[in-house]
């Protein structure tokens, strides 16, 4: 099976997915998220797979959701189509998923990495939720998950300013499990994935379920609320201005 936006391989009991839209720094469009879900569906069914690894390129894990695809969207459409609804399926998987991140993991790219069970970062990785600079907000769980990981103060500062953090800061505040030299990222992440895939499948899946229980209580409500707010932001002129300015390569001028 070949995909337009992904490279998919199997290495032993590890399913390796490489995001592959180099022309857009792996920006995540509908086709990519649909193909990713298709691949993850297959891995979930495949008894030979014990762990999944998602990675990107040396320059970008993913520089966000695709701004060019989102720019023309409007509120009724995003709401009716439940735009971003299919993203959450990545977080619902039962088999463990590791994100191996080098370069930019921004916006939806960071949100995708946060949906994985843990992140191994290259020393070149940068993480951020810069949506505010486009006149919008994150919508695929980034606000909920980042705040739970780093606490309110740092999450607020990052979200309200749109600033990103480097790999060292990300490790210090618990966003990533481990930082490794960029040249060793894939080898280290594959090592970790193979070790997990070699454990008892049942124990591993039970552990994942138990850890997820820690904060599942009100996360679902938070995620639904965040997605609705994200859809609603497409009713604002600032969304058109922010995304239009990005595509036209100019500074945005926001209203009040
Ligand atoms: C669409 C994107 C993109 C994106 C980069 N590109 N990010 N296209 N959506 N998110 C495209 C650029 O338009 C450009 O194409 C090509 O990729 C290379 O990008 P450059 O900007 O030329 O590269 P560079 O100068 O190295 O800068 C890298 C960068 C910058 C700092 C990461 O690309 C950037 O700021 N990107 C946007 C980051 C962002 O705002 N992400 C959040 C998006 S909103 P052309 O054709 O022009 O050469 C979001 C909402 C999530 O994610 C909602 C829930 C999922």
């Amino acid at each position: 099976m070949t995909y337009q936006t992904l490279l998919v391989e199997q290495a032993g009991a590890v399913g390796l997915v490489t995001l592959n839209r180099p022309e857009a720094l792996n920006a995540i469009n509908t086709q990519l998220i649909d193909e990713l879900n298709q691949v993850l569906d297959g891995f979930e069914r495949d008894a030979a797979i014990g762990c999944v690894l998602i990675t990107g390129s040396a320059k970008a894990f993913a520089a966000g959701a695709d701004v060019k695809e989102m720019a023309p969207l409007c509120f009724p459409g995003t709401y009716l189509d439940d735009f971003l609804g299919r993203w959450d399926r990545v977080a619902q998987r039962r088999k463990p998923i590791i994100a191996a991140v080098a370069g930019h993991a921004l916006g939806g790219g960071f949100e995708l990495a946060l949906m994985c069970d843990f992140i191994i970062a290259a020393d070149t990785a940068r993480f951020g939720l810069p949506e505010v600079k486009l006149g919008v907000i994150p919508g695929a769980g980034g606000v909920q998950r980042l705040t739970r990981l780093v606490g309110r103060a740092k999450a607020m500062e990052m979200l309200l300013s749109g600033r990103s953090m480097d790999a060292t800061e990300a490790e210090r505040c618990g966003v990533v499990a481990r930082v490794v030299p960029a040249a060793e990222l894939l080898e280290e992440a594959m090592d970790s994935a193979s070790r997990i895939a070699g454990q008892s499948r049942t124990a591993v899946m039970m552990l994942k379920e138990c850890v997820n229980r820690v904060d599942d209580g009100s996360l679902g409500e938070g995620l639904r609320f965040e997605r609705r707010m994200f859809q609603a932001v497409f009713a604002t002129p600032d969304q058109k201005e922010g995304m239009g300015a990005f595509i036209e390569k100019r500074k945005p001028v926001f209203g009040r």
Side-chain angles (χ1 to χ4, degrees):
M1 185 84 180
T2 54
Y3 298 92
Q4 302 293 309
T5 64
L6 305 174
L7 301 172
V8 181
E9 301 160 56
Q10 183 174 341
V14 177
L16 173 63
V17 186
T18 306
L19 310 183
N20 187 35
R21 292 190 73 214
E23 72 287 358
L25 298 182
N26 292 334
I28 301 169
N29 59 8
T30 303
Q31 182 179 24
L32 190 150
I33 206 72
D34 283 348
E35 289 189 348
L36 181 59
N37 273 319
Q38 219 177 309
V39 170
L40 295 179
D41 282 343
F43 286 156
E44 288 272 287
R45 281 193 302 265
D46 186 346
I49 297 288
C51 187
V52 177
L53 182 56
I54 302 179
T55 193
S57 68
K59 185 159 185 205
F61 177 75
D66 191 318
V67 179
K68 292 166 190 171
E69 183 182 67
M70 287 185 294
L73 301 182
C74 286
F75 174 67
T78 61
Y79 183 79
L80 289 172
D81 296 344
D82 197 21
F83 184 62
L84 296 188
R86 65 235 295 174
W87 284 57
D88 205 46
R89 291 192 53 218
V90 177
Q92 305 303 328
R93 304 292 163 169
R94 300 183 72 212
K95 289 184 181 173
I97 307 180
I98 303 173
V101 175
H104 303 287
L106 299 175
F110 187 19
E111 295 185 281
L112 174 63
L114 287 171
M115 284 181 197
C116 298
D117 297 307
F118 62 90
I119 300 171
I120 298 182
D123 50 12
T124 57
R126 289 201 70 83
F127 301 90
L129 294 171
E131 283 88 342
V132 72
K133 296 191 205 167
L134 296 172
V136 299
I137 64 171
V143 175
Q144 313 303 312
R145 294 192 175 97
L146 181 69
T147 306
R148 279 160 197 258
L149 281 177
V150 307
R152 183 185 162 85
K154 193 181 278 288
M156 276 289 187
E157 191 236 343
M158 288 187 68
L159 287 160
L160 301 185
S161 68
R163 89 161 170 92
S164 52
M165 57 164 91
D166 63 19
T168 309
E169 184 180 359
E171 186 180 32
R172 195 169 61 231
C173 65
V175 168
V176 308
R178 205 144 57 83
V179 180
V180 299
E184 294 161 27
L185 176 67
L186 198 57
E187 191 187 332
E188 288 281 344
M190 277 302 283
D191 226 50
S192 183
S194 305
R195 215 169 316 127
I196 292 168
Q199 311 289 355
S200 150
R201 200 67 47 86
T202 318
V204 162
M205 287 169 65
M206 282 180 170
L207 275 170
K208 172 166 174 164
E209 216 176 331
C210 291
V211 174
N212 284 340
R213 269 296 169 96
V214 172
D215 49 22
D216 245 13
S218 60
L219 180 62
E221 199 39 55
L223 293 175
R224 270 189 296 281
F225 183 74
E226 180 178 331
R227 194 187 314 148
R228 289 291 171 260
M229 288 302 101
F230 179 79
Q231 292 161 348
V233 89
F234 285 84
T236 68
D238 282 351
Q239 175 267 330
K240 292 285 168 286
E241 172 60 16
M243 293 192 164
F246 173 82
I247 290 168
E248 291 158 19
K249 299 186 189 293
R250 61 174 175 81
K251 268 195 165 322
V253 183
F254 294 123
R256 285 156 59 84

